[in-house]
Amino acid sequence: MIATNAPPYKLPTDFLWGFATASFQIEGATDADGRGKSIWDDFSKITGKTLDGRDGDVATDSYHRWQEDLDLLVQYGVKSYRFSISWSRIIPSGGREDPVNEAGIEFYSDFIDGLLARGITPFVTLYHWDLPQALHDRYLGWLNKGEIVLDFVRYAKVCFERFGDRVKHWLTMNEPWCISILGYGRGVFAPGRSSDRLRSPEGNSSTEPWIAGHSVILSHAYAVKLYREEFKAKQGGEIGITLNGDWAMPYDDSIQNIEAAQHALDVAIGWFADPIYLGQYPAYMKQMLGDRLPDFTPEELAVVKEAGGEDEFQGHVEYTFTRPDGTQLGTQAHCAWLQDYAPGFRDLLNYLYKRYRKPIYVTENGFAVKDEDKKTVEEALQDDDRVQYYRGVTSSLLAAVKEDGVDVRGYFGWSLLDNFEWADGYVTRFGVTYVDYETQKRYPKDSGKFLSQWFKEHVDNDKPSSIPATIVKVISAAGNSVETKVVHSANVNVPKDAAPKKKGGKGKKAPFARFTAYISAFLGL
Ligand code: PNW
């Protein structure tokens, strides 16, 4: 269980740790104080779009219970809290000519003050999937680069102006892969577009995800440019992006499967991180998509790069958690895409740091215990599989920092609360705190207590930095000075090449390990 001996190594005093949430998943109060609709409001009400048929109108009622949420954060002893701002509370119709809603500003302003009064550092996501419905109706949102980039930048500007005196850690976008693929490719997330006419009345899965992703990259880039040019000097903050990605291991040591593992990483993470940090889309994506992958103009590319330094959506790679000998990589979560595999988390952190040379914040990392919704509260609080998951990833985190010299500066568990899990409704629970949706009462689970204790023991109280000098040297010798951040969990997958198997033959299997340290990498500045 929890180590009682003094640990041999501690994370530096300024290491930020805490929990993460997102506006639409917790706030509820969708009608309150002049808020405009987001694309999730009506989408979640359409029959069949969420597993339990439930929507986000109440969620965990955090718009009204935010002081209680703050008390919970204090109880856990967090240093930081990652939350997102609802664009349509700030600008109800979303657009650059549309009015700002002062009541929305006041809500987040009070919340930020509440955090600071308790000594908790705000870590703020500008866009966590709740696009103003008005922008989708007006010009199809992320599909219209010419409009959405300008509207997003204006929204970001309002946030920097009104909150940037107190917020020093900004994330532009949460997980562009999910925005693009789940919203415009598979059609399972709002706005629910795809080529599958049984699912979606409109959409084109072969072109739209790549167009949407392109707009998201540019919106990120121009918001970062604005922050750097007009705010950073006086506000002194930093800004980055959260990318999700699964660690992919080759199924076996065949060349195809080794390549398949890299292809999976290219499409999950490289799609966004390569243009931003390396100045171009991954070669494999160009090869896979040809003309369907939009081009950057030279001017755009300058801004983008500056900003940070059988399934196409998985890079034509088949994923499996099953090893060739039939054993499972780790413990299965409630959702199919996630298994617990802590070594993958360490490998993913190393991969990201070596490839992009940026400081990393793990902005989300979490686990949904199988069938937790069927348990009594008492049973659910003993969330052994989630404790096990966090025990593994925290030890991988420490090893990555201490033994491998990866520059990780923060870690956020997903999530503070059980909450509206998008297309899963309330069936899948990711919280370290149990929420009884009848009473809205919150109960800390064992996993929440575990993380609280672990960080108490492993973050240094006195010294600002305890990274051994030799390791620091290695990092700076090899890297550059731009910051990167990783966020989220690392899902380790064993990718398999998606090429159809030949009858009777061996087939082209490129399984790697699909990790489930799902890492949202905050590849920052
Ligand atoms: C993240 N995948 O979503 C989001 O940032 C959260 O809002 C969400 O609640 C959490 O993880 C748990 O799902 C993801 O399919 C959704 O790989 C799906 C995937 C990854 C991340």
Side-chain angles (χ1 to χ4, degrees), residues 257-280:
N257 286 347
I258 290 168
E259 283 178 359
Q262 182 59 47
H263 294 166
L265 289 163
D266 286 346
V267 176
I269 299 173
W271 176 6
F272 306 100
D274 280 19
I276 292 170
Y277 301 109
L278 308 177
Q280 56 188 337

Side-chain angles (χ1 to χ4, degrees), residues 18 95 115 165 185 241 273 303 381 419 426-427 444 487:
L115 286 170
D165 54 337
I241 187 167
V303 176
L381 298 187
N419 56 42
Y426 297 88
V427 174
V487 188

